[in-house]
């Protein structure tokens, strides 16, 4: 009689892979509490909470955090609108070049970030658009749209078309059908896509480097602090905040979308 459990070597490999990925992150958390501000010695000579107070009083940290939050929020809103519209068009209608359009929509997230960044910078220069808050938003929206699109198109394809037809047959107009039939079926997918888009935008650094000009989002601030360090533990405290802010939306998106392999609207 065969056991249904995974073999020991496979479990060990999985645990080893998880440790390889997450132990460096845990080290960042530890060094956020160290009393030493010049080096990364192990074990830390002592632990303290003083660096959290120092970080709290750094105006440059607050400015970078505020910029990152504003960029992520607006990029997410743009992605929700454009991603949902693209998903509805691709999944609900048949037209020449539909698969090509679908490929073009997801291409920005498949390309290396440096390619996207260089392309956007070149486009802004050719159009004589000065680098500003909105150039960062446009850069982030290019890949945030993909995340929302992927979630929305999958849910659209699992939503029965007969629900829309029945709504229209009963006298509902397009807006009522969207509000009372389509939106309840795709709402969790949109929320999950929005959470992932926010997390991706908040910790994006490569595309931001090419589109920010002299502005500093939180990841750009961290990068410059690592190049010219003043107080290393402050950088670790900020890194810990970035990890937490990124992790929570991803965790929420996971719980929203798990177990959704059935057709939306049937038994949900």
């Amino acid at each position: 009689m065969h056991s249904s459990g995974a073999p020991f070597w496979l479990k060990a490999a999985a645990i080893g892979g998880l440790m390889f990925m997450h132990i460096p992150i845990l080290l960042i958390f530890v060094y956020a509490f160290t009393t030493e501000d010049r080096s990364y010695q192990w074990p830390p000579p002592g632990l303290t909470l003083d660096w959290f107070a120092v970080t709290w009083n750094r105006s440059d940290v607050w400015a970078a955090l505020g910029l990152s939050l504003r960029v992520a929020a607006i990029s997410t809103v743009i992605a929700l609108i454009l991603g949902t519209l693209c998903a509805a068009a691709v999944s609900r209608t048949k037209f020449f070049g539909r698969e090509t359009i679908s490929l073009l929509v997801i291409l920005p997230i498949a390309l290396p970030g440096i390619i996207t960044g260089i392309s956007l910078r070149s486009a802004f220069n050719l159009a004589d658009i000065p680098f500003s808050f909105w150039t960062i938003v446009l850069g982030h929206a290019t890949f945030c749209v993909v995340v929302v699109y992927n979630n929305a198109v999958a849910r659209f394809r699992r939503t029965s078309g007969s629900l829309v037809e029945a709504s229209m047959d009963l006298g509902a107009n397009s807006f009522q059908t969207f509000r009372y039939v389509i939106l309840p079926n795709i709402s969790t997918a949109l929320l999950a896509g929005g959470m992932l888009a926010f997390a991706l935008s908040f910790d994006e650094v490569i595309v931001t480097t090419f589109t920010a000009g002299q502005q500093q989002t939180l990841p750009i601030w961290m990068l410059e602090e690592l190049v010219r360090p003043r107080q290393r533990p402050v950088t670790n405290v900020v890194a810990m905040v970035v990890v937490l802010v990124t992790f929570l939306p991803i965790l929420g998106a996971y719980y929203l979308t798990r177990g959704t392999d059935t057709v939306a609207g049937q038994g949900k």
Side-chain angles (χ1 to χ4, degrees):
M1 186 174 181
H2 297 287
S3 173
S4 59
F8 173 77
W9 66 268
L10 188 58
K11 294 179 181 178
I15 293 173
L18 290 173
M19 292 177 64
F20 176 78
M21 291 187 295
H22 293 103
I23 284 180
I25 298 176
L26 295 178
L27 289 177
I28 290 176
F29 281 51
V30 172
Y31 283 122
F33 296 90
T34 184
T35 55
E36 175 61 50
D37 67 342
R38 295 292 181 183
S39 64
Y40 289 104
Q41 56 177 308
W42 186 263
L47 300 177
T48 181
L49 293 173
D50 293 346
W51 295 113
F52 287 84
V54 173
T55 305
W56 183 270
N57 292 317
R58 288 276 294 267
S59 59
D60 54 338
V61 174
W62 283 108
L65 175 61
L67 179 60
S68 289
L69 290 174
R70 293 196 302 273
V71 168
I74 297 178
S75 299
T76 300
V77 172
I78 295 174
L80 283 170
I81 296 172
L82 297 181
T84 304
L85 293 176
C86 288
V90 169
S91 62
R92 286 299 176 192
T93 58
K94 293 183 179 180
F95 54 89
F96 177 76
R98 182 178 67 168
E99 298 304 321
T100 302
I101 291 178
S102 181
L103 175 63
L104 291 175
V105 171
I106 65 175
L107 192 60
I109 207 169
L111 292 173
I114 192 170
I115 301 297
T116 303
I118 292 174
S119 301
L120 288 167
R121 188 177 184 89
S122 300
F124 293 147
N125 286 331
L126 286 174
D128 200 23
I129 299 175
F131 296 110
S132 65
F133 170 84
W134 292 107
T135 57
I136 305 176
V137 169
L138 291 175
H140 287 203
T142 57
F143 54 83
C144 289
V145 167
V146 183
V147 179
V148 175
Y149 170 82
N150 284 338
N151 279 272
V153 78
R155 187 62 60 85
F156 270 121
R157 288 172 176 169
R158 289 198 296 267
T159 303
S160 175
S162 60
L163 295 174
V164 177
E165 294 173 1
S167 174
M168 302 296 281
D169 288 342
L170 291 171
N173 57 35
S174 298
F175 176 76
Q176 289 172 324
T177 300
F178 175 78
R179 180 180 177 183
Y180 297 110
V181 178
I182 298 176
L183 189 58
N185 280 281
I186 68 171
S187 58
T188 54
L190 294 184
L191 185 57
M195 287 180 170
L196 290 174
F198 184 90
L200 283 176
S201 175
F202 185 79
D203 66 7
E204 162 59 35
V205 62
I206 299 177
V207 173
T208 311
T209 302
F210 290 92
T211 59
Q214 299 301 315
Q215 300 179 97
Q216 283 188 332
T217 60
L218 205 57
I220 296 295
W221 179 91
M222 291 170 55
L223 186 62
E224 294 195 3
E225 284 292 311
L226 289 174
V227 174
R228 294 185 296 272
R230 286 184 292 169
Q231 296 172 316
R232 291 183 187 272
V234 171
T235 307
N236 291 319
V237 171
V238 174
M240 185 171 66
V241 171
V242 171
V243 170
L244 293 176
V245 172
T246 305
F247 172 75
L248 292 177
I250 293 175
L251 182 64
Y254 166 75
Y255 279 106
L256 282 171
T257 55
R258 68 173 182 172
T260 57
D261 52 340
T262 57
V263 176
Q266 296 184 2
K268 284 183 63 62

